Amino acid sequence: ANALASAPELIKAVHTDYFAAGADCAITASYQASVEGFQKKGFSEAEAERLIRLSVALAKEARDHFWQNHSAEQRPKPLIAASVGPYGAFLADGSEYRGDYTVDEAFLQEFHRKRIGLLAGSQARRAGLRNHSLPDGSTGYCACAAAMAGSVRLDQFFLSG
């Protein structure tokens, strides 16, 4: 998530390189990004929200620039999947692999709802949201509930463990 603030041009370049190498989908640089995390680093709430939305914009810009020069190729137009990491990714203490959070499901749903809303509002929902590193069923449930509360269609919400 730090690269969104410090080196967004590098994120865009990596997406472009992956498309050139044959990738059909870009996963945004938002796995560890959260409003709360950026605020802990001194960013305002508005700036944190802008950076999370930027993760989608960078992937889309790279894809659209790539597609301008490669649309005649026999391949599908690449998709953008917004990466939604678990609450533990924000904590940065390894708990995203254990799921031993000391918060309740309502807290987790609200935590995910905010981020998913920012990512989906950035038009990532046209391609999908990808939630990964789900250590337990409760984490996946909370992320799905948050997505549904934000009107993200579940056929656009990919879960992986």
Side-chain angles (χ1 to χ4, degrees), residues 8-9 12 15-16 19 53-68 80:
E9 68 285 348
K12 187 174 173 181
H15 286 312
T16 300
F19 290 135
R53 287 189 299 269
L54 178 64
S55 70
V56 175
L58 292 170
K60 287 180 61 186
E61 288 170 15
R63 187 264 321 266
D64 293 347
H65 176 65
F66 171 81
W67 195 245
Q68 284 178 336
I80 308 300

Side-chain angles (χ1 to χ4, degrees), residues 2-3 10 17 25 35 48 64 68 78 81 89-90 96 117 130 147 149 155:
N2 287 333
L10 292 179
D17 288 347
C25 183
V35 172
D64 293 347
Q68 284 178 336
F90 154 71
E96 70 260 40
R130 183 172 191 270
D155 64 329

